[in-house]
Amino acid sequence: MLSDAHTKPDFDLDGLIDRLPKVELHVHLEGTLEPELAFRLAARNGVVLPFTTVDEMRARYDFADLQAFLDIYYAACSVLVTREDFRELTLDYLRRADADHVRHVEPFFDPQTHTDRGISIGDVIGGILDGLADGEREFGITSGLILSFLRHLPAEAASATLADAEPWLDRIVAVGLDSSEVGYPPEPFAAVFAAARARGLRAVAHAGEEADASLVARTLDCLGVSRIDHGVRAADDPAVMRRLAEDGVTLTACPLSNLRLRVVPALARSTIGTLLGAGVAVTINSDDPAYFGGYIGENYRRIVAALGFGAADVARLATNAINGSFASADRKRELLAELAGVAGGAAGAE
Ligand code: ADE
Ligand code: ZN
């Protein structure tokens, strides 16, 4: 994966990454809750966090695995109570995204994490949509919201959530599937995904983060997804990699998440280079940036440095994100033109 530009010692790869018009396809809004905002919302809502200071909260972010992270992530969500809280959470993320030159984002939210605590789904979705509208006005960042089901809960609960979200479905672009991966297969969710697709929504799902490549194949078989979230373990099986490449399935990889959740022991061991080399449409994203040590720009910088990527690889990753998004054809054309302006000949449209 060493392209020419990488071999020129004075080529400003970090400058290119900074200026790159980015599209983020894998970020959980709940995973953008920085400790400072968590403490501010806790005080406002009379919620007691299991930490006494911001520093103590951050010091707990040493995760043995995905489940250890999810336990803290769900606990921290208890500070999100009002519609205004969800608006501020969303706008706070978009402010950081703007600093990283994100131009379009398709964030996840997990309604069940909140409705199961007695929060109204209208306040959750309404607050997030308010924040996305504010962010588009303030920063010009366009978006498509993804309603994600929790796979550790029964599929019937996902169906009930889809029904509860009906009044807002025309403002939601896709459904997703996340939470604990091992032991929670995709097949029970086939019916709710089919119902969502019949309703005109697109579909994506987490797979191949902790579980192996066979889960990626099964997810493609049963959920009708256009993208696989993470999917980095697909590289363990050449047949699955070939299928992803041939079917044009976008992978939303999250390098710092994989490092912090010990999916890989070091970024240099990431499979992203193998997948890209096999023709898979890999993209770079942040997942839960408040917890994993960096937003999308940092994810680009760190993986590019670790794998020795060059300018053409960076442009390929950014192009994949534009083409793999659910933005309109017009918006994709705009973003590809912006990218060509920054990356020149290194950027190629589909
Ligand atoms: N929910 C939030 N972050 C997640 C991740 N990395 N994997 C699965 N579910 C999640
Ligand atoms: Zn995720």
Side-chain angles (χ1 to χ4, degrees), residues 213 231-238 240-241 244 271-272 274-275:
V232 284
R233 294 206 52 198
D236 299 341
D237 184 334
V240 176
M241 257 197 312
L244 290 169
T271 60
I272 288 172
T274 307
L275 290 158

Side-chain angles (χ1 to χ4, degrees), residues 13 47 52 65 83 101 105 111-112 125 133 137-138 152-153 155 187 203 216 220 237 246 248 318 327 344:
L13 212 42
V47 173
T52 50
D65 55 18
R83 176 172 177 148
H101 207 189
V105 60
Q112 291 158 290
I125 302 180
R137 243 191 331 272
E138 210 166 314
H152 68 270
L153 298 177
E187 286 82 4
V216 173
L220 293 172
D237 184 334
E246 284 171 6

Side-chain angles (χ1 to χ4, degrees), residues 28 66 69-70 73 178-179 206 209 230 257 261 287-288:
H28 301 261
L66 172 60
F69 156 68
L70 289 171
Y73 161 96
D178 67 2
S179 192
H206 283 54
E209 177 182 17
H230 293 292
S257 166
L261 299 184
D287 204 6
D288 301 289

